[in-house]
Amino acid sequence: MNRKYEHKHAYFVGGGLASLAGAVYLIRDCAFPGKNIHILEGMPILGGSNDGAGNAEDGFVCRGGRMLNEETYENMWELLSSIPSLEQEGVSVLEEILAFDHAHPTHANARLINKDGEVLDVTSMGFDNADRMALAKLMITPEEKLDNLRISDWFANTPHFFETNFWYMWQTTFAFQKWSSLFEFKRYMNRMIFEFSRIQTLEGVTRSPYNQYESVILPMKAYLDGCGVDFTLKYTVTDLDFEAGEDITVTAIHYRQDGAEGVIKLDRGDLCFVTNGCMTDNAALGDLHTPAGMIAENPISGDLWAKIAAKKNGLGNPKPFFGNAEETNWESFTVTCRGDKLLKMIEKYSRNKPGSGALMTFKDSNWLMSIVVAAQPHFKNQPPDTTIFWGYGLYTGKEGNYVKKPMRECTGGEILTELLHHLHFAEEIDAIMDTVVNVIPCMMPYIVAQFQPRAMSDRPQVVPEGSTNLAMISQFVEIPEDMVFTEEYSVRAARIAVYTLLGVNKKICPVTPYRYDIRVLLKALNTSFR
């Protein structure tokens, strides 16, 4: 323990990956006493958007699968190299994940499927010269010229771009929409340029042994428990107080617990790390017989951000992100079955064993539906005679091709019925349904809120100018060159926050400059002409 921190406390608002990572950095790199670190989370479970829960009787649920990537998760891998595995003595979580991934390589054989059930040849990206020129121009355009622009604005004169194999694959891999921010699309193109040449196989997806909650969050929680970190404060934080003056100094944290209001007073030198936006806020679950529904009001994290941004300059602007649930939602669904009848049928159809195929996208689906079949078991408590997979649809307000209702109004059973028709398994629907334990839909109104068009100033700096003890850690902060909607973004934000506030003179892993690697660029160029 560093004695200068003996009487100082650190408070993390939110119990997601960024907060857990920040706590690890405080302990590992600053010798901050674990007992003085407090994680304030209003939900009964940690992990934020990294989740996985359920059982064989009621069904399992993954609200989403956070894609991992070996090449671009620089700080996350470094962090996990110091977190011990829960299952293998002497092995780190990093070693555990990479060993599993290398033993289960990805090579999707059925990336895009048409309305006739035909697996499409996607070796060609489908570009014409106008598409190539528009992409090339975007790659060299400074970000400062892209404020508030949508992807559709850039390609307004080249609408063919949105009919290419590339767009269908890139869109569904990363969950972009035509109306998403051009900023973020450009950053993904820069950061993931090496994936351009293998987007049709998704070989770049890094697998974890189980869902990310059990593979990443639980080992981090165990590490922090061992260091004495305080997880007892089941608080929903509602506001922050600041010291008067130009500087940004948090003096109190307001919270609600079981309907009662309370305040935590911060002493001089205490630290406050805030998750200023959560993409899975307001998520709602359904089941086999019940639609999930959509809770479109402002999320609690967005309300908190709006309150503090109104008090101090430099804390960003949540309005572009949390103002239009119709543009920021999509719906996932998790299917739990007894036995492997359905998984075997999908395996035969796709020519991919569970865990080897990544996304299968039904490009003519009105919902733009995709499914992912992970290696089994995907949960530690998943019995050998139980199988699961999950999927999602990006256009939840549109009527299904077969089930004539919008996805958001469908029960889990109806969503599965729609999927089985797209797979052309209609003749076996009754036999398949006999094996189904549950289909749990999850509507997430703000799941891609971080992709909304914005000005550069709308996202705050991790440590805002003038801050003495406040840092913002989320998918809604500004980190130059990096891409949101990734695990790496949360971890990098946490590392920047801790090192900056505590004056740590240690290196933060930089964004790997693949866009300057001539070999990567030549591969991408060659792929664009296929």
Side-chain angles (χ1 to χ4, degrees), residues 116-139:
D116 298 319
E118 298 168 339
V119 174
L120 300 177
D121 179 359
V122 291
T123 53
S124 169
M125 295 296 100
F127 294 134
D128 60 23
N129 283 334
D131 300 327
R132 297 185 190 100
M133 290 297 292
L135 268 179
K137 183 180 178 182
L138 176 62
M139 297 290 278

PDB file of all heavy atoms in Angstrom, residues 116-139:
ATOM      1  N   ASP A 116     -33.683 -17.031 -50.519  1.00  0.00           N
ATOM      2  CA  ASP A 116     -33.920 -18.397 -50.973  1.00  0.00           C
ATOM      3  C   ASP A 116     -33.159 -19.415 -50.141  1.00  0.00           C
ATOM      4  O   ASP A 116     -33.168 -20.603 -50.457  1.00  0.00           O
ATOM      5  CB  ASP A 116     -33.524 -18.526 -52.444  1.00  0.00           C
ATOM      6  CG  ASP A 116     -34.356 -17.630 -53.346  1.00  0.00           C
ATOM      7  OD1 ASP A 116     -35.587 -17.546 -53.117  1.00  0.00           O
ATOM      8  OD2 ASP A 116     -33.791 -17.005 -54.263  1.00  0.00           O
ATOM      9  N   GLY A 117     -32.488 -18.939 -49.089  1.00  0.00           N
ATOM     10  CA  GLY A 117     -31.724 -19.835 -48.238  1.00  0.00           C
ATOM     11  C   GLY A 117     -30.377 -20.201 -48.809  1.00  0.00           C
ATOM     12  O   GLY A 117     -29.723 -21.120 -48.306  1.00  0.00           O
ATOM     13  N   GLU A 118     -29.936 -19.478 -49.826  1.00  0.00           N
ATOM     14  CA  GLU A 118     -28.652 -19.771 -50.463  1.00  0.00           C
ATOM     15  C   GLU A 118     -27.535 -19.025 -49.748  1.00  0.00           C
ATOM     16  O   GLU A 118     -27.643 -17.823 -49.475  1.00  0.00           O
ATOM     17  CB  GLU A 118     -28.675 -19.358 -51.937  1.00  0.00           C
ATOM     18  CG  GLU A 118     -29.702 -20.115 -52.760  1.00  0.00           C
ATOM     19  CD  GLU A 118     -29.903 -19.493 -54.136  1.00  0.00           C
ATOM     20  OE1 GLU A 118     -29.587 -18.306 -54.312  1.00  0.00           O
ATOM     21  OE2 GLU A 118     -30.414 -20.206 -55.022  1.00  0.00           O
ATOM     22  N   VAL A 119     -26.464 -19.736 -49.437  1.00  0.00           N
ATOM     23  CA  VAL A 119     -25.276 -19.106 -48.869  1.00  0.00           C
ATOM     24  C   VAL A 119     -24.551 -18.386 -50.006  1.00  0.00           C
ATOM     25  O   VAL A 119     -24.202 -18.987 -51.020  1.00  0.00           O
ATOM     26  CB  VAL A 119     -24.353 -20.144 -48.213  1.00  0.00           C
ATOM     27  CG1 VAL A 119     -23.054 -19.493 -47.749  1.00  0.00           C
ATOM     28  CG2 VAL A 119     -25.059 -20.830 -47.043  1.00  0.00           C
ATOM     29  N   LEU A 120     -24.346 -17.100 -49.841  1.00  0.00           N
ATOM     30  CA  LEU A 120     -23.796 -16.277 -50.912  1.00  0.00           C
ATOM     31  C   LEU A 120     -22.272 -16.334 -50.953  1.00  0.00           C
ATOM     32  O   LEU A 120     -21.614 -16.483 -49.917  1.00  0.00           O
ATOM     33  CB  LEU A 120     -24.241 -14.824 -50.741  1.00  0.00           C
ATOM     34  CG  LEU A 120     -25.757 -14.592 -50.768  1.00  0.00           C
ATOM     35  CD1 LEU A 120     -26.065 -13.127 -50.508  1.00  0.00           C
ATOM     36  CD2 LEU A 120     -26.350 -15.033 -52.101  1.00  0.00           C
ATOM     37  N   ASP A 121     -21.748 -16.198 -52.152  1.00  0.00           N
ATOM     38  CA  ASP A 121     -20.301 -16.084 -52.335  1.00  0.00           C
ATOM     39  C   ASP A 121     -19.914 -14.648 -51.987  1.00  0.00           C
ATOM     40  O   ASP A 121     -20.284 -13.708 -52.688  1.00  0.00           O
ATOM     41  CB  ASP A 121     -19.935 -16.419 -53.775  1.00  0.00           C
ATOM     42  CG  ASP A 121     -18.437 -16.301 -54.035  1.00  0.00           C
ATOM     43  OD1 ASP A 121     -17.695 -15.931 -53.094  1.00  0.00           O
ATOM     44  OD2 ASP A 121     -18.011 -16.574 -55.176  1.00  0.00           O
ATOM     45  N   VAL A 122     -19.170 -14.472 -50.915  1.00  0.00           N
ATOM     46  CA  VAL A 122     -18.815 -13.120 -50.477  1.00  0.00           C
ATOM     47  C   VAL A 122     -17.313 -12.869 -50.594  1.00  0.00           C
ATOM     48  O   VAL A 122     -16.762 -12.002 -49.906  1.00  0.00           O
ATOM     49  CB  VAL A 122     -19.288 -12.868 -49.022  1.00  0.00           C
ATOM     50  CG1 VAL A 122     -20.793 -12.792 -48.967  1.00  0.00           C
ATOM     51  CG2 VAL A 122     -18.775 -13.951 -48.084  1.00  0.00           C
ATOM     52  N   THR A 123     -16.664 -13.612 -51.459  1.00  0.00           N
ATOM     53  CA  THR A 123     -15.244 -13.323 -51.691  1.00  0.00           C
ATOM     54  C   THR A 123     -15.076 -11.957 -52.352  1.00  0.00           C
ATOM     55  O   THR A 123     -14.032 -11.316 -52.208  1.00  0.00           O
ATOM     56  CB  THR A 123     -14.594 -14.407 -52.558  1.00  0.00           C
ATOM     57  OG1 THR A 123     -15.381 -14.579 -53.757  1.00  0.00           O
ATOM     58  CG2 THR A 123     -14.529 -15.720 -51.803  1.00  0.00           C
ATOM     59  N   SER A 124     -16.095 -11.494 -53.081  1.00  0.00           N
ATOM     60  CA  SER A 124     -16.073 -10.152 -53.653  1.00  0.00           C
ATOM     61  C   SER A 124     -16.802  -9.192 -52.721  1.00  0.00           C
ATOM     62  O   SER A 124     -17.884  -9.492 -52.219  1.00  0.00           O
ATOM     63  CB  SER A 124     -16.766 -10.128 -55.024  1.00  0.00           C
ATOM     64  OG  SER A 124     -16.959  -8.790 -55.462  1.00  0.00           O
ATOM     65  N   MET A 125     -16.187  -8.022 -52.500  1.00  0.00           N
ATOM     66  CA  MET A 125     -16.828  -6.993 -51.682  1.00  0.00           C
ATOM     67  C   MET A 125     -17.989  -6.335 -52.422  1.00  0.00           C
ATOM     68  O   MET A 125     -18.848  -5.714 -51.812  1.00  0.00           O
ATOM     69  CB  MET A 125     -15.819  -5.930 -51.259  1.00  0.00           C
ATOM     70  CG  MET A 125     -14.718  -6.435 -50.348  1.00  0.00           C
ATOM     71  SD  MET A 125     -15.295  -7.038 -48.736  1.00  0.00           S
ATOM     72  CE  MET A 125     -15.307  -8.815 -49.033  1.00  0.00           C
ATOM     73  N   GLY A 126     -17.993  -6.435 -53.757  1.00  0.00           N
ATOM     74  CA  GLY A 126     -19.102  -5.899 -54.542  1.00  0.00           C
ATOM     75  C   GLY A 126     -19.004  -4.426 -54.864  1.00  0.00           C
ATOM     76  O   GLY A 126     -19.991  -3.811 -55.296  1.00  0.00           O
ATOM     77  N   PHE A 127     -17.816  -3.818 -54.677  1.00  0.00           N
ATOM     78  CA  PHE A 127     -17.667  -2.388 -54.947  1.00  0.00           C
ATOM     79  C   PHE A 127     -17.625  -2.089 -56.435  1.00  0.00           C
ATOM     80  O   PHE A 127     -17.123  -2.891 -57.228  1.00  0.00           O
ATOM     81  CB  PHE A 127     -16.361  -1.861 -54.344  1.00  0.00           C
ATOM     82  CG  PHE A 127     -16.294  -1.882 -52.848  1.00  0.00           C
ATOM     83  CD1 PHE A 127     -15.164  -2.368 -52.195  1.00  0.00           C
ATOM     84  CD2 PHE A 127     -17.341  -1.400 -52.082  1.00  0.00           C
ATOM     85  CE1 PHE A 127     -15.088  -2.376 -50.820  1.00  0.00           C
ATOM     86  CE2 PHE A 127     -17.273  -1.400 -50.697  1.00  0.00           C
ATOM     87  CZ  PHE A 127     -16.138  -1.896 -50.064  1.00  0.00           C
ATOM     88  N   ASP A 128     -18.106  -0.905 -56.795  1.00  0.00           N
ATOM     89  CA  ASP A 128     -17.783  -0.346 -58.106  1.00  0.00           C
ATOM     90  C   ASP A 128     -16.770   0.784 -57.870  1.00  0.00           C
ATOM     91  O   ASP A 128     -16.405   1.091 -56.723  1.00  0.00           O
ATOM     92  CB  ASP A 128     -19.027   0.133 -58.856  1.00  0.00           C
ATOM     93  CG  ASP A 128     -19.801   1.224 -58.138  1.00  0.00           C
ATOM     94  OD1 ASP A 128     -19.208   1.936 -57.290  1.00  0.00           O
ATOM     95  OD2 ASP A 128     -21.005   1.387 -58.416  1.00  0.00           O
ATOM     96  N   ASN A 129     -16.311   1.423 -58.933  1.00  0.00           N
ATOM     97  CA  ASN A 129     -15.258   2.428 -58.782  1.00  0.00           C
ATOM     98  C   ASN A 129     -15.707   3.630 -57.957  1.00  0.00           C
ATOM     99  O   ASN A 129     -14.914   4.215 -57.207  1.00  0.00           O
ATOM    100  CB  ASN A 129     -14.766   2.885 -60.158  1.00  0.00           C
ATOM    101  CG  ASN A 129     -13.851   1.858 -60.804  1.00  0.00           C
ATOM    102  OD1 ASN A 129     -13.211   1.073 -60.098  1.00  0.00           O
ATOM    103  ND2 ASN A 129     -13.776   1.858 -62.125  1.00  0.00           N
ATOM    104  N   ALA A 130     -16.987   4.001 -58.087  1.00  0.00           N
ATOM    105  CA  ALA A 130     -17.492   5.123 -57.290  1.00  0.00           C
ATOM    106  C   ALA A 130     -17.453   4.804 -55.802  1.00  0.00           C
ATOM    107  O   ALA A 130     -17.110   5.669 -54.976  1.00  0.00           O
ATOM    108  CB  ALA A 130     -18.909   5.468 -57.728  1.00  0.00           C
ATOM    109  N   ASP A 131     -17.782   3.559 -55.436  1.00  0.00           N
ATOM    110  CA  ASP A 131     -17.701   3.135 -54.040  1.00  0.00           C
ATOM    111  C   ASP A 131     -16.269   3.233 -53.533  1.00  0.00           C
ATOM    112  O   ASP A 131     -16.007   3.744 -52.436  1.00  0.00           O
ATOM    113  CB  ASP A 131     -18.186   1.693 -53.880  1.00  0.00           C
ATOM    114  CG  ASP A 131     -19.621   1.485 -54.300  1.00  0.00           C
ATOM    115  OD1 ASP A 131     -20.430   2.413 -54.138  1.00  0.00           O
ATOM    116  OD2 ASP A 131     -19.930   0.383 -54.809  1.00  0.00           O
ATOM    117  N   ARG A 132     -15.338   2.726 -54.330  1.00  0.00           N
ATOM    118  CA  ARG A 132     -13.922   2.741 -53.928  1.00  0.00           C
ATOM    119  C   ARG A 132     -13.421   4.168 -53.740  1.00  0.00           C
ATOM    120  O   ARG A 132     -12.694   4.460 -52.776  1.00  0.00           O
ATOM    121  CB  ARG A 132     -13.074   2.007 -54.972  1.00  0.00           C
ATOM    122  CG  ARG A 132     -13.402   0.539 -55.113  1.00  0.00           C
ATOM    123  CD  ARG A 132     -12.448  -0.159 -56.085  1.00  0.00           C
ATOM    124  NE  ARG A 132     -12.913  -1.506 -56.378  1.00  0.00           N
ATOM    125  CZ  ARG A 132     -13.585  -1.846 -57.478  1.00  0.00           C
ATOM    126  NH1 ARG A 132     -13.842  -0.930 -58.408  1.00  0.00           N
ATOM    127  NH2 ARG A 132     -13.979  -3.085 -57.658  1.00  0.00           N
ATOM    128  N   MET A 133     -13.794   5.046 -54.650  1.00  0.00           N
ATOM    129  CA  MET A 133     -13.344   6.432 -54.565  1.00  0.00           C
ATOM    130  C   MET A 133     -13.917   7.124 -53.328  1.00  0.00           C
ATOM    131  O   MET A 133     -13.213   7.879 -52.642  1.00  0.00           O
ATOM    132  CB  MET A 133     -13.746   7.192 -55.831  1.00  0.00           C
ATOM    133  CG  MET A 133     -12.982   6.777 -57.074  1.00  0.00           C
ATOM    134  SD  MET A 133     -11.204   7.116 -56.937  1.00  0.00           S
ATOM    135  CE  MET A 133     -11.218   8.914 -56.942  1.00  0.00           C
ATOM    136  N   ALA A 134     -15.179   6.860 -53.030  1.00  0.00           N
ATOM    137  CA  ALA A 134     -15.802   7.472 -51.850  1.00  0.00           C
ATOM    138  C   ALA A 134     -15.131   6.994 -50.569  1.00  0.00           C
ATOM    139  O   ALA A 134     -14.874   7.785 -49.645  1.00  0.00           O
ATOM    140  CB  ALA A 134     -17.298   7.156 -51.822  1.00  0.00           C
ATOM    141  N   LEU A 135     -14.831   5.689 -50.488  1.00  0.00           N
ATOM    142  CA  LEU A 135     -14.134   5.155 -49.316  1.00  0.00           C
ATOM    143  C   LEU A 135     -12.738   5.741 -49.190  1.00  0.00           C
ATOM    144  O   LEU A 135     -12.299   6.128 -48.093  1.00  0.00           O
ATOM    145  CB  LEU A 135     -14.046   3.623 -49.410  1.00  0.00           C
ATOM    146  CG  LEU A 135     -15.160   2.807 -48.758  1.00  0.00           C
ATOM    147  CD1 LEU A 135     -14.913   1.324 -48.985  1.00  0.00           C
ATOM    148  CD2 LEU A 135     -15.257   3.101 -47.266  1.00  0.00           C
ATOM    149  N   ALA A 136     -12.017   5.800 -50.305  1.00  0.00           N
ATOM    150  CA  ALA A 136     -10.653   6.327 -50.284  1.00  0.00           C
ATOM    151  C   ALA A 136     -10.638   7.788 -49.832  1.00  0.00           C
ATOM    152  O   ALA A 136      -9.785   8.199 -49.036  1.00  0.00           O
ATOM    153  CB  ALA A 136     -10.016   6.190 -51.666  1.00  0.00           C
ATOM    154  N   LYS A 137     -11.588   8.568 -50.318  1.00  0.00           N
ATOM    155  CA  LYS A 137     -11.665   9.976 -49.933  1.00  0.00           C
ATOM    156  C   LYS A 137     -11.954  10.118 -48.441  1.00  0.00           C
ATOM    157  O   LYS A 137     -11.380  10.977 -47.759  1.00  0.00           O
ATOM    158  CB  LYS A 137     -12.745  10.679 -50.755  1.00  0.00           C
ATOM    159  CG  LYS A 137     -12.854  12.172 -50.477  1.00  0.00           C
ATOM    160  CD  LYS A 137     -13.954  12.819 -51.315  1.00  0.00           C
ATOM    161  CE  LYS A 137     -14.083  14.307 -50.984  1.00  0.00           C
ATOM    162  NZ  LYS A 137     -15.188  14.943 -51.756  1.00  0.00           N
ATOM    163  N   LEU A 138     -12.852   9.260 -47.925  1.00  0.00           N
ATOM    164  CA  LEU A 138     -13.168   9.308 -46.498  1.00  0.00           C
ATOM    165  C   LEU A 138     -11.930   9.020 -45.654  1.00  0.00           C
ATOM    166  O   LEU A 138     -11.698   9.668 -44.625  1.00  0.00           O
ATOM    167  CB  LEU A 138     -14.270   8.297 -46.171  1.00  0.00           C
ATOM    168  CG  LEU A 138     -14.647   8.163 -44.693  1.00  0.00           C
ATOM    169  CD1 LEU A 138     -15.183   9.485 -44.144  1.00  0.00           C
ATOM    170  CD2 LEU A 138     -15.671   7.049 -44.496  1.00  0.00           C
ATOM    171  N   MET A 139     -11.129   8.061 -46.083  1.00  0.00           N
ATOM    172  CA  MET A 139      -9.963   7.660 -45.304  1.00  0.00           C
ATOM    173  C   MET A 139      -8.958   8.801 -45.137  1.00  0.00           C
ATOM    174  O   MET A 139      -8.217   8.835 -44.151  1.00  0.00           O
ATOM    175  CB  MET A 139      -9.282   6.452 -45.956  1.00  0.00           C
ATOM    176  CG  MET A 139     -10.142   5.200 -46.003  1.00  0.00           C
ATOM    177  SD  MET A 139     -10.416   4.462 -44.395  1.00  0.00           S
ATOM    178  CE  MET A 139      -8.912   3.521 -44.200  1.00  0.00           C
TER     179      MET A 139
END
